[in-house]
Amino acid sequence: MMPSSTTPATGEASGRTASHGYGWVLFASILLFVTGCANMIQGIAAVAGSDVFPAHAHYVFANLTTWGWVTAVLGALQLVAAAGVLAANQMFRWFGVAVIGLNAIDQMFFIPAYPVWSLTIIAMDVVALYGLCVYGSREDITAV
């Protein structure tokens, strides 16, 4: 009889198995973090009256300062959701889904100011939403 080894022999499975969707959940949480940072910067720039935004854009509701505050708050909430998803918490997964949906709607109101940037953030939101909704089950999140 041979002494037991801490490393698995060739052909044996290790103690950690990766689930099919863990990469998507990790990618979605990283996208949440990136869009959260971008939204914080965009919101602060809008509230500060930065010259990067057009002066006479017409908004459907409210003005640039209002949407700047909304975007900055949603950016902070996205950062919290990203940390929660990385911690494999199911409540934060659903919180992240809600925040991503609200951010996509918020970016639609920012289209008069920066159409390409807003559509890029919406596309990132859709990919993160896909990763959290399709592959965000408890088994996928706790796989690694």
Side-chain angles (χ1 to χ4, degrees):
M1 176 163 224
M2 295 184 65
S4 64
S5 170
T6 57
T7 58
T10 306
E12 288 183 18
S14 65
R16 303 178 96 175
T17 59
S19 179
H20 175 66
Y22 180 74
W24 269 104
V25 174
L26 180 64
F27 183 66
S29 63
I30 292 170
L31 273 180
L32 258 171
F33 180 77
V34 169
T35 56
C37 289
N39 285 335
M40 291 280 293
I41 293 168
Q42 181 183 13
I44 291 169
V47 169
S50 179
D51 292 333
V52 298
F53 295 102
H56 302 292
H58 297 284
Y59 296 93
V60 176
F61 176 71
N63 58 13
L64 181 63
T65 305
T66 303
W67 288 114
W69 279 111
V70 171
T71 303
V73 169
L74 283 173
L77 292 175
Q78 282 179 316
L79 294 176
V80 170
V85 171
L86 282 174
N89 189 326
Q90 282 292 319
M91 181 187 76
F92 279 104
R93 173 186 157 224
W94 289 110
F95 177 69
V97 167
V99 170
I100 290 170
L102 289 173
N103 185 52
I105 294 168
D106 173 53
Q107 289 297 324
M108 288 180 194
F109 285 108
F110 250 106
I111 287 177
Y114 264 147
V116 175
W117 178 257
S118 294
L119 293 175
T120 302
I121 296 293
I122 291 170
M124 291 171 67
D125 285 341
V126 168
V127 172
L129 195 63
Y130 174 78
L132 289 180
C133 287
V134 174
Y135 295 109
S137 69
R138 187 173 305 277
E139 295 82 22
D140 291 333
I141 290 177
T142 59
V144 174

